[in-house]
Amino acid sequence: DGGITQSPKYLFRKEGQNVTLSCEQNLNHDAMYWYRQDPGQGLRLIYYSQIVNDFQKGDIAEGYSVSREKKESFPLTVTSAQKNPTAFYLCASSLAGGWENTQYFGPGTRLTVL
Amino acid sequence: AQSVAQPEDQVNVAEGNPLTVKCTYSVSGNPYLFWYVQYPNRGLQFLLKYITGDNLVKGSYGFEAEFNKSQTSFHLKKPSALVSDSALYFCAVRPLNTGFQKLVFGTGTRLLVSP
């Protein structure tokens, strides 16, 4: 899991609540990513950011929002608009600008909607 | 469409035997290919990647993978499996014609190594 931390490890949310998942990295990486993992579906990209104050939607951005105010931090908010938010959420980071750059992952946050 | 297929949901192997976890891809142009491993309730750990050059890539924990362009495959291998290798393995591809560093993941293969 290297220098990427995610908190909390487990998160429980009631219907209609927004929750924010934290992701911090000390690898001096420019690019950061959020993925969602569901059983049998692999990982799907929610949002990514290649530089501070800039981010782009991934394949399943609806119901999610992000910010990138600092290089080290890329928090993800799961809003009440997300229809099925129960999943395992993974944050990753990488150097930017090179096709060969490897993405490194944090330990994940498991979100459960009650 | 750009995709990665891992045709086996689960692979069972006895400790000490060789193991293979299969991956095939479908992308435009030459891809960059990656293997990751995930232990229960943990993030993904990088194992190895193919960028260019030698078709046999060596990675962490004794794993290696063979890139086969004609068969569009990138199978993960290890000569002698350990019980501790039991985990979920993901193949991923980065198509070179995308404008950002997107990774497309397979659905994962669970490896069970029996003592």
PDB file of all heavy atoms in Angstrom, chain A residues 1 33 37 42 48 59 94-97 99-103 105-107 110, chain B residues 32 36 38 41-44 46 49 51 90 94 96 98 100-102 106-107:
ATOM      1  N   ASP A   1       0.824  -1.210   0.000  1.00  0.00           N
ATOM      2  CA  ASP A   1       0.000   0.000   0.000  1.00  0.00           C
ATOM      3  C   ASP A   1       0.853   1.253   0.000  1.00  0.00           C
ATOM      4  O   ASP A   1       0.352   2.347  -0.201  1.00  0.00           O
ATOM      5  CB  ASP A   1      -0.951   0.014   1.192  1.00  0.00           C
ATOM      6  CG  ASP A   1      -1.899  -1.191   1.162  1.00  0.00           C
ATOM      7  OD1 ASP A   1      -2.211  -1.662   0.056  1.00  0.00           O
ATOM      8  OD2 ASP A   1      -2.286  -1.649   2.223  1.00  0.00           O
ATOM      9  N   TYR A  33      -6.367   9.045  -8.503  1.00  0.00           N
ATOM     10  CA  TYR A  33      -7.517   8.378  -9.095  1.00  0.00           C
ATOM     11  C   TYR A  33      -8.420   7.809  -7.992  1.00  0.00           C
ATOM     12  O   TYR A  33      -7.947   7.441  -6.919  1.00  0.00           O
ATOM     13  CB  TYR A  33      -7.067   7.194  -9.966  1.00  0.00           C
ATOM     14  CG  TYR A  33      -5.929   7.479 -10.895  1.00  0.00           C
ATOM     15  CD1 TYR A  33      -4.613   7.489 -10.444  1.00  0.00           C
ATOM     16  CD2 TYR A  33      -6.152   7.717 -12.250  1.00  0.00           C
ATOM     17  CE1 TYR A  33      -3.555   7.743 -11.288  1.00  0.00           C
ATOM     18  CE2 TYR A  33      -5.092   7.963 -13.109  1.00  0.00           C
ATOM     19  CZ  TYR A  33      -3.799   7.976 -12.631  1.00  0.00           C
ATOM     20  OH  TYR A  33      -2.755   8.239 -13.477  1.00  0.00           O
ATOM     21  N   GLN A  37     -14.845  -0.782  -6.564  1.00  0.00           N
ATOM     22  CA  GLN A  37     -14.736  -2.219  -6.795  1.00  0.00           C
ATOM     23  C   GLN A  37     -15.984  -2.910  -6.280  1.00  0.00           C
ATOM     24  O   GLN A  37     -16.358  -2.771  -5.111  1.00  0.00           O
ATOM     25  CB  GLN A  37     -13.496  -2.798  -6.085  1.00  0.00           C
ATOM     26  CG  GLN A  37     -13.295  -4.270  -6.348  1.00  0.00           C
ATOM     27  CD  GLN A  37     -12.073  -4.848  -5.672  1.00  0.00           C
ATOM     28  OE1 GLN A  37     -11.460  -4.226  -4.817  1.00  0.00           O
ATOM     29  NE2 GLN A  37     -11.670  -6.030  -6.066  1.00  0.00           N
ATOM     30  N   GLY A  42     -14.460  -6.237 -11.293  1.00  0.00           N
ATOM     31  CA  GLY A  42     -13.189  -5.544 -11.420  1.00  0.00           C
ATOM     32  C   GLY A  42     -13.277  -4.134 -10.860  1.00  0.00           C
ATOM     33  O   GLY A  42     -14.139  -3.821 -10.037  1.00  0.00           O
ATOM     34  N   TYR A  48     -10.526  11.171 -11.891  1.00  0.00           N
ATOM     35  CA  TYR A  48      -9.076  11.231 -11.823  1.00  0.00           C
ATOM     36  C   TYR A  48      -8.642  12.686 -11.905  1.00  0.00           C
ATOM     37  O   TYR A  48      -9.382  13.547 -12.397  1.00  0.00           O
ATOM     38  CB  TYR A  48      -8.424  10.405 -12.932  1.00  0.00           C
ATOM     39  CG  TYR A  48      -8.657  10.935 -14.323  1.00  0.00           C
ATOM     40  CD1 TYR A  48      -7.680  11.688 -14.971  1.00  0.00           C
ATOM     41  CD2 TYR A  48      -9.852  10.679 -15.000  1.00  0.00           C
ATOM     42  CE1 TYR A  48      -7.891  12.172 -16.242  1.00  0.00           C
ATOM     43  CE2 TYR A  48     -10.069  11.168 -16.271  1.00  0.00           C
ATOM     44  CZ  TYR A  48      -9.085  11.903 -16.894  1.00  0.00           C
ATOM     45  OH  TYR A  48      -9.305  12.392 -18.154  1.00  0.00           O
ATOM     46  N   ASP A  59     -15.499   6.734 -15.755  1.00  0.00           N
ATOM     47  CA  ASP A  59     -16.595   6.002 -16.393  1.00  0.00           C
ATOM     48  C   ASP A  59     -17.892   6.028 -15.603  1.00  0.00           C
ATOM     49  O   ASP A  59     -18.970   5.858 -16.163  1.00  0.00           O
ATOM     50  CB  ASP A  59     -16.167   4.544 -16.601  1.00  0.00           C
ATOM     51  CG  ASP A  59     -14.979   4.425 -17.532  1.00  0.00           C
ATOM     52  OD1 ASP A  59     -14.937   5.172 -18.528  1.00  0.00           O
ATOM     53  OD2 ASP A  59     -14.090   3.596 -17.260  1.00  0.00           O
ATOM     54  N   SER A  94      -0.112   8.159  -9.240  1.00  0.00           N
ATOM     55  CA  SER A  94       0.991   7.828 -10.145  1.00  0.00           C
ATOM     56  C   SER A  94       1.703   9.110 -10.541  1.00  0.00           C
ATOM     57  O   SER A  94       1.182  10.210 -10.380  1.00  0.00           O
ATOM     58  CB  SER A  94       0.476   7.118 -11.393  1.00  0.00           C
ATOM     59  OG  SER A  94      -0.212   8.030 -12.246  1.00  0.00           O
ATOM     60  N   LEU A  95       2.901   8.943 -11.077  1.00  0.00           N
ATOM     61  CA  LEU A  95       3.546  10.056 -11.746  1.00  0.00           C
ATOM     62  C   LEU A  95       2.705  10.392 -12.970  1.00  0.00           C
ATOM     63  O   LEU A  95       2.044   9.521 -13.533  1.00  0.00           O
ATOM     64  CB  LEU A  95       4.963   9.672 -12.173  1.00  0.00           C
ATOM     65  CG  LEU A  95       5.938   9.380 -11.035  1.00  0.00           C
ATOM     66  CD1 LEU A  95       7.225   8.781 -11.592  1.00  0.00           C
ATOM     67  CD2 LEU A  95       6.248  10.651 -10.261  1.00  0.00           C
ATOM     68  N   ALA A  96       2.726  11.613 -13.377  1.00  0.00           N
ATOM     69  CA  ALA A  96       1.961  12.014 -14.554  1.00  0.00           C
ATOM     70  C   ALA A  96       2.910  12.167 -15.741  1.00  0.00           C
ATOM     71  O   ALA A  96       4.122  12.310 -15.573  1.00  0.00           O
ATOM     72  CB  ALA A  96       1.236  13.326 -14.295  1.00  0.00           C
ATOM     73  N   GLY A  97       2.337  12.113 -16.922  1.00  0.00           N
ATOM     74  CA  GLY A  97       3.100  12.471 -18.106  1.00  0.00           C
ATOM     75  C   GLY A  97       3.799  11.341 -18.800  1.00  0.00           C
ATOM     76  O   GLY A  97       4.421  11.549 -19.822  1.00  0.00           O
ATOM     77  N   TRP A  99       3.412   7.256 -20.298  1.00  0.00           N
ATOM     78  CA  TRP A  99       2.489   6.148 -20.536  1.00  0.00           C
ATOM     79  C   TRP A  99       2.830   4.930 -19.690  1.00  0.00           C
ATOM     80  O   TRP A  99       1.966   4.123 -19.391  1.00  0.00           O
ATOM     81  CB  TRP A  99       2.525   5.754 -22.014  1.00  0.00           C
ATOM     82  CG  TRP A  99       2.035   6.826 -22.908  1.00  0.00           C
ATOM     83  CD1 TRP A  99       2.789   7.618 -23.721  1.00  0.00           C
ATOM     84  CD2 TRP A  99       0.685   7.253 -23.083  1.00  0.00           C
ATOM     85  NE1 TRP A  99       1.987   8.501 -24.394  1.00  0.00           N
ATOM     86  CE2 TRP A  99       0.697   8.300 -24.023  1.00  0.00           C
ATOM     87  CE3 TRP A  99      -0.530   6.840 -22.531  1.00  0.00           C
ATOM     88  CZ2 TRP A  99      -0.464   8.953 -24.431  1.00  0.00           C
ATOM     89  CZ3 TRP A  99      -1.694   7.486 -22.933  1.00  0.00           C
ATOM     90  CH2 TRP A  99      -1.654   8.527 -23.876  1.00  0.00           C
ATOM     91  N   GLU A 100       4.076   4.789 -19.330  1.00  0.00           N
ATOM     92  CA  GLU A 100       4.485   3.596 -18.606  1.00  0.00           C
ATOM     93  C   GLU A 100       4.306   3.709 -17.109  1.00  0.00           C
ATOM     94  O   GLU A 100       4.562   2.759 -16.383  1.00  0.00           O
ATOM     95  CB  GLU A 100       5.948   3.286 -18.921  1.00  0.00           C
ATOM     96  CG  GLU A 100       6.948   4.223 -18.252  1.00  0.00           C
ATOM     97  CD  GLU A 100       7.135   5.549 -18.979  1.00  0.00           C
ATOM     98  OE1 GLU A 100       6.367   5.828 -19.918  1.00  0.00           O
ATOM     99  OE2 GLU A 100       8.057   6.295 -18.602  1.00  0.00           O
ATOM    100  N   ASN A 101       3.852   4.857 -16.634  1.00  0.00           N
ATOM    101  CA  ASN A 101       3.796   5.062 -15.193  1.00  0.00           C
ATOM    102  C   ASN A 101       2.809   4.135 -14.506  1.00  0.00           C
ATOM    103  O   ASN A 101       1.671   3.962 -14.948  1.00  0.00           O
ATOM    104  CB  ASN A 101       3.446   6.510 -14.885  1.00  0.00           C
ATOM    105  CG  ASN A 101       4.566   7.452 -15.249  1.00  0.00           C
ATOM    106  OD1 ASN A 101       5.726   7.060 -15.239  1.00  0.00           O
ATOM    107  ND2 ASN A 101       4.236   8.681 -15.573  1.00  0.00           N
ATOM    108  N   THR A 102       3.239   3.569 -13.412  1.00  0.00           N
ATOM    109  CA  THR A 102       2.447   2.610 -12.660  1.00  0.00           C
ATOM    110  C   THR A 102       1.548   3.326 -11.671  1.00  0.00           C
ATOM    111  O   THR A 102       1.959   4.297 -11.031  1.00  0.00           O
ATOM    112  CB  THR A 102       3.378   1.654 -11.899  1.00  0.00           C
ATOM    113  OG1 THR A 102       4.200   0.968 -12.838  1.00  0.00           O
ATOM    114  CG2 THR A 102       2.593   0.644 -11.082  1.00  0.00           C
ATOM    115  N   GLN A 103       0.328   2.853 -11.527  1.00  0.00           N
ATOM    116  CA  GLN A 103      -0.565   3.352 -10.493  1.00  0.00           C
ATOM    117  C   GLN A 103      -0.383   2.511  -9.220  1.00  0.00           C
ATOM    118  O   GLN A 103      -0.363   1.289  -9.285  1.00  0.00           O
ATOM    119  CB  GLN A 103      -2.022   3.283 -10.955  1.00  0.00           C
ATOM    120  CG  GLN A 103      -2.331   4.260 -12.076  1.00  0.00           C
ATOM    121  CD  GLN A 103      -3.789   4.265 -12.472  1.00  0.00           C
ATOM    122  OE1 GLN A 103      -4.660   3.816 -11.726  1.00  0.00           O
ATOM    123  NE2 GLN A 103      -4.078   4.794 -13.653  1.00  0.00           N
ATOM    124  N   PHE A 105      -1.818   1.805  -5.267  1.00  0.00           N
ATOM    125  CA  PHE A 105      -3.115   1.876  -4.623  1.00  0.00           C
ATOM    126  C   PHE A 105      -3.023   1.996  -3.109  1.00  0.00           C
ATOM    127  O   PHE A 105      -2.088   1.482  -2.485  1.00  0.00           O
ATOM    128  CB  PHE A 105      -3.936   0.625  -4.958  1.00  0.00           C
ATOM    129  CG  PHE A 105      -4.460   0.631  -6.356  1.00  0.00           C
ATOM    130  CD1 PHE A 105      -3.650   0.302  -7.428  1.00  0.00           C
ATOM    131  CD2 PHE A 105      -5.782   0.980  -6.613  1.00  0.00           C
ATOM    132  CE1 PHE A 105      -4.127   0.322  -8.727  1.00  0.00           C
ATOM    133  CE2 PHE A 105      -6.270   1.004  -7.905  1.00  0.00           C
ATOM    134  CZ  PHE A 105      -5.445   0.673  -8.961  1.00  0.00           C
ATOM    135  N   GLY A 106      -4.020   2.653  -2.532  1.00  0.00           N
ATOM    136  CA  GLY A 106      -4.183   2.690  -1.095  1.00  0.00           C
ATOM    137  C   GLY A 106      -4.898   1.439  -0.613  1.00  0.00           C
ATOM    138  O   GLY A 106      -5.281   0.580  -1.402  1.00  0.00           O
ATOM    139  N   PRO A 107      -5.124   1.336   0.716  1.00  0.00           N
ATOM    140  CA  PRO A 107      -5.712   0.121   1.303  1.00  0.00           C
ATOM    141  C   PRO A 107      -7.225   0.019   1.136  1.00  0.00           C
ATOM    142  O   PRO A 107      -7.796  -1.025   1.402  1.00  0.00           O
ATOM    143  CB  PRO A 107      -5.336   0.233   2.775  1.00  0.00           C
ATOM    144  CG  PRO A 107      -5.198   1.699   3.010  1.00  0.00           C
ATOM    145  CD  PRO A 107      -4.657   2.272   1.744  1.00  0.00           C
ATOM    146  N   ARG A 110     -14.240   0.599   2.777  1.00  0.00           N
ATOM    147  CA  ARG A 110     -15.468  -0.167   2.492  1.00  0.00           C
ATOM    148  C   ARG A 110     -16.663   0.635   2.993  1.00  0.00           C
ATOM    149  O   ARG A 110     -16.807   0.869   4.189  1.00  0.00           O
ATOM    150  CB  ARG A 110     -15.442  -1.540   3.154  1.00  0.00           C
ATOM    151  CG  ARG A 110     -16.618  -2.415   2.739  1.00  0.00           C
ATOM    152  CD  ARG A 110     -16.422  -3.873   3.112  1.00  0.00           C
ATOM    153  NE  ARG A 110     -15.292  -4.482   2.447  1.00  0.00           N
ATOM    154  CZ  ARG A 110     -15.296  -4.928   1.200  1.00  0.00           C
ATOM    155  NH1 ARG A 110     -16.384  -4.813   0.466  1.00  0.00           N
ATOM    156  NH2 ARG A 110     -14.219  -5.510   0.702  1.00  0.00           N
TER     157      ARG A 110
ATOM    158  N   TYR B  32       0.041  -1.105 -22.983  1.00  0.00           N
ATOM    159  CA  TYR B  32       0.857  -1.350 -21.807  1.00  0.00           C
ATOM    160  C   TYR B  32       0.021  -2.250 -20.892  1.00  0.00           C
ATOM    161  O   TYR B  32      -1.157  -1.987 -20.685  1.00  0.00           O
ATOM    162  CB  TYR B  32       1.207  -0.040 -21.084  1.00  0.00           C
ATOM    163  CG  TYR B  32       2.218   0.814 -21.789  1.00  0.00           C
ATOM    164  CD1 TYR B  32       2.420   2.137 -21.422  1.00  0.00           C
ATOM    165  CD2 TYR B  32       2.991   0.316 -22.833  1.00  0.00           C
ATOM    166  CE1 TYR B  32       3.358   2.928 -22.055  1.00  0.00           C
ATOM    167  CE2 TYR B  32       3.928   1.094 -23.473  1.00  0.00           C
ATOM    168  CZ  TYR B  32       4.103   2.411 -23.081  1.00  0.00           C
ATOM    169  OH  TYR B  32       5.032   3.191 -23.722  1.00  0.00           O
ATOM    170  N   TYR B  36      -1.785  -6.920 -11.065  1.00  0.00           N
ATOM    171  CA  TYR B  36      -1.873  -6.535  -9.664  1.00  0.00           C
ATOM    172  C   TYR B  36      -2.406  -7.717  -8.859  1.00  0.00           C
ATOM    173  O   TYR B  36      -3.149  -8.560  -9.387  1.00  0.00           O
ATOM    174  CB  TYR B  36      -2.840  -5.360  -9.477  1.00  0.00           C
ATOM    175  CG  TYR B  36      -2.346  -4.023  -9.971  1.00  0.00           C
ATOM    176  CD1 TYR B  36      -2.498  -3.643 -11.298  1.00  0.00           C
ATOM    177  CD2 TYR B  36      -1.733  -3.124  -9.098  1.00  0.00           C
ATOM    178  CE1 TYR B  36      -2.069  -2.401 -11.745  1.00  0.00           C
ATOM    179  CE2 TYR B  36      -1.296  -1.880  -9.522  1.00  0.00           C
ATOM    180  CZ  TYR B  36      -1.467  -1.527 -10.846  1.00  0.00           C
ATOM    181  OH  TYR B  36      -1.035  -0.289 -11.284  1.00  0.00           O
ATOM    182  N   GLN B  38      -4.444  -8.652  -5.060  1.00  0.00           N
ATOM    183  CA  GLN B  38      -5.214  -8.086  -3.948  1.00  0.00           C
ATOM    184  C   GLN B  38      -5.474  -9.161  -2.898  1.00  0.00           C
ATOM    185  O   GLN B  38      -6.076 -10.183  -3.196  1.00  0.00           O
ATOM    186  CB  GLN B  38      -6.540  -7.515  -4.442  1.00  0.00           C
ATOM    187  CG  GLN B  38      -7.347  -6.813  -3.359  1.00  0.00           C
ATOM    188  CD  GLN B  38      -8.654  -6.255  -3.883  1.00  0.00           C
ATOM    189  OE1 GLN B  38      -9.305  -6.844  -4.744  1.00  0.00           O
ATOM    190  NE2 GLN B  38      -9.059  -5.094  -3.365  1.00  0.00           N
ATOM    191  N   ASN B  41      -9.642  -7.571   1.725  1.00  0.00           N
ATOM    192  CA  ASN B  41      -9.860  -6.255   2.347  1.00  0.00           C
ATOM    193  C   ASN B  41      -8.630  -5.358   2.289  1.00  0.00           C
ATOM    194  O   ASN B  41      -8.404  -4.541   3.177  1.00  0.00           O
ATOM    195  CB  ASN B  41     -10.318  -6.420   3.795  1.00  0.00           C
ATOM    196  CG  ASN B  41     -11.696  -7.036   3.868  1.00  0.00           C
ATOM    197  OD1 ASN B  41     -12.607  -6.606   3.156  1.00  0.00           O
ATOM    198  ND2 ASN B  41     -11.847  -8.059   4.681  1.00  0.00           N
ATOM    199  N   ARG B  42      -7.844  -5.512   1.248  1.00  0.00           N
ATOM    200  CA  ARG B  42      -6.665  -4.684   1.054  1.00  0.00           C
ATOM    201  C   ARG B  42      -6.712  -4.027  -0.323  1.00  0.00           C
ATOM    202  O   ARG B  42      -7.490  -4.404  -1.195  1.00  0.00           O
ATOM    203  CB  ARG B  42      -5.399  -5.543   1.158  1.00  0.00           C
ATOM    204  CG  ARG B  42      -5.224  -6.257   2.475  1.00  0.00           C
ATOM    205  CD  ARG B  42      -4.865  -5.310   3.592  1.00  0.00           C
ATOM    206  NE  ARG B  42      -3.621  -4.626   3.358  1.00  0.00           N
ATOM    207  CZ  ARG B  42      -2.423  -5.130   3.636  1.00  0.00           C
ATOM    208  NH1 ARG B  42      -2.324  -6.332   4.162  1.00  0.00           N
ATOM    209  NH2 ARG B  42      -1.332  -4.440   3.390  1.00  0.00           N
ATOM    210  N   GLY B  43      -5.837  -3.055  -0.512  1.00  0.00           N
ATOM    211  CA  GLY B  43      -5.710  -2.450  -1.826  1.00  0.00           C
ATOM    212  C   GLY B  43      -4.960  -3.355  -2.781  1.00  0.00           C
ATOM    213  O   GLY B  43      -4.527  -4.446  -2.417  1.00  0.00           O
ATOM    214  N   LEU B  44      -4.808  -2.883  -4.012  1.00  0.00           N
ATOM    215  CA  LEU B  44      -4.090  -3.650  -5.023  1.00  0.00           C
ATOM    216  C   LEU B  44      -2.592  -3.389  -4.898  1.00  0.00           C
ATOM    217  O   LEU B  44      -2.158  -2.253  -4.709  1.00  0.00           O
ATOM    218  CB  LEU B  44      -4.546  -3.262  -6.433  1.00  0.00           C
ATOM    219  CG  LEU B  44      -5.765  -3.988  -6.987  1.00  0.00           C
ATOM    220  CD1 LEU B  44      -7.008  -3.660  -6.185  1.00  0.00           C
ATOM    221  CD2 LEU B  44      -5.970  -3.620  -8.452  1.00  0.00           C
ATOM    222  N   PHE B  46       1.027  -3.770  -6.927  1.00  0.00           N
ATOM    223  CA  PHE B  46       1.608  -3.916  -8.248  1.00  0.00           C
ATOM    224  C   PHE B  46       2.562  -5.098  -8.277  1.00  0.00           C
ATOM    225  O   PHE B  46       3.401  -5.257  -7.390  1.00  0.00           O
ATOM    226  CB  PHE B  46       2.341  -2.623  -8.609  1.00  0.00           C
ATOM    227  CG  PHE B  46       3.201  -2.707  -9.818  1.00  0.00           C
ATOM    228  CD1 PHE B  46       2.640  -2.819 -11.083  1.00  0.00           C
ATOM    229  CD2 PHE B  46       4.583  -2.670  -9.705  1.00  0.00           C
ATOM    230  CE1 PHE B  46       3.443  -2.889 -12.203  1.00  0.00           C
ATOM    231  CE2 PHE B  46       5.393  -2.731 -10.819  1.00  0.00           C
ATOM    232  CZ  PHE B  46       4.822  -2.842 -12.073  1.00  0.00           C
ATOM    233  N   LYS B  49       4.785  -5.207 -15.046  1.00  0.00           N
ATOM    234  CA  LYS B  49       4.185  -4.560 -16.203  1.00  0.00           C
ATOM    235  C   LYS B  49       5.010  -4.843 -17.446  1.00  0.00           C
ATOM    236  O   LYS B  49       6.232  -5.077 -17.367  1.00  0.00           O
ATOM    237  CB  LYS B  49       4.059  -3.050 -15.978  1.00  0.00           C
ATOM    238  CG  LYS B  49       5.383  -2.319 -15.848  1.00  0.00           C
ATOM    239  CD  LYS B  49       5.141  -0.840 -15.564  1.00  0.00           C
ATOM    240  CE  LYS B  49       6.455  -0.094 -15.318  1.00  0.00           C
ATOM    241  NZ  LYS B  49       6.222   1.332 -14.959  1.00  0.00           N
ATOM    242  N   ILE B  51       5.968  -3.024 -20.986  1.00  0.00           N
ATOM    243  CA  ILE B  51       5.954  -1.762 -21.733  1.00  0.00           C
ATOM    244  C   ILE B  51       6.428  -2.015 -23.158  1.00  0.00           C
ATOM    245  O   ILE B  51       5.733  -1.737 -24.127  1.00  0.00           O
ATOM    246  CB  ILE B  51       6.841  -0.701 -21.054  1.00  0.00           C
ATOM    247  CG1 ILE B  51       6.397  -0.495 -19.593  1.00  0.00           C
ATOM    248  CG2 ILE B  51       6.801   0.607 -21.819  1.00  0.00           C
ATOM    249  CD1 ILE B  51       4.979  -0.034 -19.450  1.00  0.00           C
ATOM    250  N   PHE B  90      -5.535  -9.305 -10.688  1.00  0.00           N
ATOM    251  CA  PHE B  90      -6.142  -8.477 -11.724  1.00  0.00           C
ATOM    252  C   PHE B  90      -5.135  -8.178 -12.817  1.00  0.00           C
ATOM    253  O   PHE B  90      -4.013  -7.755 -12.552  1.00  0.00           O
ATOM    254  CB  PHE B  90      -6.632  -7.147 -11.140  1.00  0.00           C
ATOM    255  CG  PHE B  90      -7.857  -7.257 -10.285  1.00  0.00           C
ATOM    256  CD1 PHE B  90      -7.737  -7.313  -8.911  1.00  0.00           C
ATOM    257  CD2 PHE B  90      -9.110  -7.304 -10.853  1.00  0.00           C
ATOM    258  CE1 PHE B  90      -8.861  -7.410  -8.105  1.00  0.00           C
ATOM    259  CE2 PHE B  90     -10.242  -7.403 -10.061  1.00  0.00           C
ATOM    260  CZ  PHE B  90     -10.116  -7.461  -8.691  1.00  0.00           C
ATOM    261  N   ARG B  94      -3.422  -0.471 -20.398  1.00  0.00           N
ATOM    262  CA  ARG B  94      -3.494   0.964 -20.675  1.00  0.00           C
ATOM    263  C   ARG B  94      -3.341   1.155 -22.181  1.00  0.00           C
ATOM    264  O   ARG B  94      -2.237   1.017 -22.717  1.00  0.00           O
ATOM    265  CB  ARG B  94      -2.413   1.742 -19.956  1.00  0.00           C
ATOM    266  CG  ARG B  94      -2.449   3.240 -20.319  1.00  0.00           C
ATOM    267  CD  ARG B  94      -1.427   4.016 -19.531  1.00  0.00           C
ATOM    268  NE  ARG B  94      -1.704   3.943 -18.124  1.00  0.00           N
ATOM    269  CZ  ARG B  94      -0.747   3.801 -17.200  1.00  0.00           C
ATOM    270  NH1 ARG B  94       0.518   3.729 -17.551  1.00  0.00           N
ATOM    271  NH2 ARG B  94      -1.082   3.748 -15.933  1.00  0.00           N
ATOM    272  N   LEU B  96      -2.736   2.921 -25.580  1.00  0.00           N
ATOM    273  CA  LEU B  96      -1.902   4.085 -25.873  1.00  0.00           C
ATOM    274  C   LEU B  96      -2.642   5.193 -26.581  1.00  0.00           C
ATOM    275  O   LEU B  96      -2.119   6.284 -26.713  1.00  0.00           O
ATOM    276  CB  LEU B  96      -0.695   3.660 -26.710  1.00  0.00           C
ATOM    277  CG  LEU B  96       0.293   2.751 -26.005  1.00  0.00           C
ATOM    278  CD1 LEU B  96       1.532   2.563 -26.861  1.00  0.00           C
ATOM    279  CD2 LEU B  96       0.690   3.329 -24.654  1.00  0.00           C
ATOM    280  N   THR B  98      -5.412   6.583 -25.583  1.00  0.00           N
ATOM    281  CA  THR B  98      -6.239   7.380 -24.671  1.00  0.00           C
ATOM    282  C   THR B  98      -5.462   8.620 -24.268  1.00  0.00           C
ATOM    283  O   THR B  98      -4.250   8.648 -24.263  1.00  0.00           O
ATOM    284  CB  THR B  98      -6.621   6.590 -23.415  1.00  0.00           C
ATOM    285  OG1 THR B  98      -5.430   6.126 -22.782  1.00  0.00           O
ATOM    286  CG2 THR B  98      -7.482   5.405 -23.778  1.00  0.00           C
ATOM    287  N   PHE B 100      -5.346  10.053 -21.396  1.00  0.00           N
ATOM    288  CA  PHE B 100      -4.899  10.108 -20.016  1.00  0.00           C
ATOM    289  C   PHE B 100      -4.539   8.705 -19.578  1.00  0.00           C
ATOM    290  O   PHE B 100      -4.647   7.762 -20.334  1.00  0.00           O
ATOM    291  CB  PHE B 100      -5.979  10.689 -19.110  1.00  0.00           C
ATOM    292  CG  PHE B 100      -7.262   9.896 -19.096  1.00  0.00           C
ATOM    293  CD1 PHE B 100      -7.505   8.952 -18.123  1.00  0.00           C
ATOM    294  CD2 PHE B 100      -8.210  10.116 -20.061  1.00  0.00           C
ATOM    295  CE1 PHE B 100      -8.697   8.235 -18.118  1.00  0.00           C
ATOM    296  CE2 PHE B 100      -9.397   9.399 -20.065  1.00  0.00           C
ATOM    297  CZ  PHE B 100      -9.635   8.461 -19.094  1.00  0.00           C
ATOM    298  N   GLN B 101      -4.121   8.607 -18.335  1.00  0.00           N
ATOM    299  CA  GLN B 101      -3.555   7.338 -17.909  1.00  0.00           C
ATOM    300  C   GLN B 101      -4.620   6.376 -17.405  1.00  0.00           C
ATOM    301  O   GLN B 101      -4.551   5.893 -16.290  1.00  0.00           O
ATOM    302  CB  GLN B 101      -2.505   7.587 -16.842  1.00  0.00           C
ATOM    303  CG  GLN B 101      -1.358   8.420 -17.377  1.00  0.00           C
ATOM    304  CD  GLN B 101      -0.313   8.663 -16.334  1.00  0.00           C
ATOM    305  OE1 GLN B 101      -0.127   7.881 -15.429  1.00  0.00           O
ATOM    306  NE2 GLN B 101       0.371   9.777 -16.458  1.00  0.00           N
ATOM    307  N   LYS B 102      -5.582   6.085 -18.252  1.00  0.00           N
ATOM    308  CA  LYS B 102      -6.661   5.192 -17.845  1.00  0.00           C
ATOM    309  C   LYS B 102      -6.186   3.757 -17.859  1.00  0.00           C
ATOM    310  O   LYS B 102      -5.467   3.327 -18.749  1.00  0.00           O
ATOM    311  CB  LYS B 102      -7.841   5.343 -18.796  1.00  0.00           C
ATOM    312  CG  LYS B 102      -9.008   4.442 -18.449  1.00  0.00           C
ATOM    313  CD  LYS B 102     -10.193   4.704 -19.365  1.00  0.00           C
ATOM    314  CE  LYS B 102     -11.363   3.821 -18.973  1.00  0.00           C
ATOM    315  NZ  LYS B 102     -12.563   4.124 -19.777  1.00  0.00           N
ATOM    316  N   GLY B 106      -9.471  -6.232 -15.807  1.00  0.00           N
ATOM    317  CA  GLY B 106     -10.263  -7.429 -15.923  1.00  0.00           C
ATOM    318  C   GLY B 106     -11.075  -7.631 -14.657  1.00  0.00           C
ATOM    319  O   GLY B 106     -10.955  -6.876 -13.689  1.00  0.00           O
ATOM    320  N   THR B 107     -11.895  -8.658 -14.652  1.00  0.00           N
ATOM    321  CA  THR B 107     -12.792  -8.895 -13.521  1.00  0.00           C
ATOM    322  C   THR B 107     -12.124  -9.653 -12.374  1.00  0.00           C
ATOM    323  O   THR B 107     -12.729  -9.858 -11.333  1.00  0.00           O
ATOM    324  CB  THR B 107     -14.035  -9.672 -13.966  1.00  0.00           C
ATOM    325  OG1 THR B 107     -13.611 -10.844 -14.663  1.00  0.00           O
ATOM    326  CG2 THR B 107     -14.906  -8.817 -14.883  1.00  0.00           C
TER     327      THR B 107
END
